[in-house]
Amino acid sequence: MIIRVFLMAVAVLTLVSPSYGESTPSAGSNPPRLISVKTPSGTVIQAEIADTPQKRAAGLMYRDHLKKDHGMMFFFDQAQEWTFWMKNTLIALDLIWMDEKKRVIHIERNVPICTRTDDSCPQYRPNDGALYVLEIAAGTVDGLKIEKGSKLQFANP
């Protein structure tokens, strides 16, 4: 009886757990929560919310595509020099760190994917404390007129 219950639990978890290799959420899973991020150019980015340790750790790993008007916004509880890397990230990105006033304090442009299988992928971080980090498709930050000192507009979840 215990083994049967265990096998049923494993089967249920397998059916409801997202596949790490998919570029979009699996059928039947909840779609990601999005926020609108208005850039200095007036363009609005639809950003997935990464506001838990699990979501922040997974980030955009294993995705094979990111639309030009989409991204991921990382929310942190306190400002720090948050470090990012591209391990298991299959798409190049622009990374944008912001302070508590949502003002850009650091940008990493065209950050390449990292195909290393160990933990030696390059790390990227600002020189000052950030409360938010936005990841968007590589090569789009300049067209959106985002530069150090720019302010992005979005609501906290």
Side-chain angles (χ1 to χ4, degrees):
M1 177 69 174
I2 293 175
I3 293 174
R4 186 174 171 188
V5 170
F6 174 76
L7 291 174
M8 288 175 56
V10 169
V12 168
L13 287 173
T14 302
L15 289 173
V16 299
S17 297
S19 170
Y20 289 108
E22 291 182 0
S23 61
T24 57
S26 60
S29 69
N30 293 331
R33 290 183 359 200
L34 300 174
I35 61 163
S36 297
V37 180
K38 188 173 181 184
T39 67
S41 70
T43 301
V44 175
I45 300 290
Q46 296 301 316
E48 292 181 39
I49 298 171
D51 59 352
T52 66
Q54 297 81 9
K55 289 178 185 175
R56 290 189 293 257
L60 291 171
M61 285 183 174
Y62 304 106
R63 308 278 183 99
D64 58 8
H65 180 73
L66 183 63
K67 294 179 183 177
K68 293 284 185 189
D69 63 345
H70 281 70
M72 181 169 279
M73 179 70 78
F74 294 77
F75 291 86
F76 296 97
D77 295 330
Q78 58 185 354
Q80 290 186 24
E81 296 170 0
W82 297 105
T83 301
F84 280 65
W85 67 347
M86 299 293 286
K87 184 174 182 183
N88 299 320
T89 304
L90 308 175
I91 47 179
L93 298 171
D94 288 339
L95 308 176
I96 305 155
W97 285 261
M98 292 162 277
D99 64 16
E100 67 281 349
K101 295 179 181 173
K102 303 175 182 172
R103 190 174 22 248
V104 175
I105 61 167
H106 186 75
I107 299 172
E108 290 286 344
R109 290 171 170 79
N110 297 306
V111 176
I113 66 170
C114 180
T115 57
R116 297 178 188 166
T117 56
D118 60 9
D119 288 342
S120 65
C121 292
Q123 297 182 0
Y124 306 91
R125 61 182 262 175
N127 292 325
D128 298 306
L131 202 53
Y132 313 100
V133 179
L134 177 63
E135 294 181 337
I136 57 177
T140 58
V141 73
D142 292 329
L144 299 173
K145 299 182 181 174
I146 299 172
E147 56 190 36
K148 190 172 180 179
S150 298
K151 192 168 183 179
L152 302 184
Q153 297 174 31
F154 54 92
N156 290 7

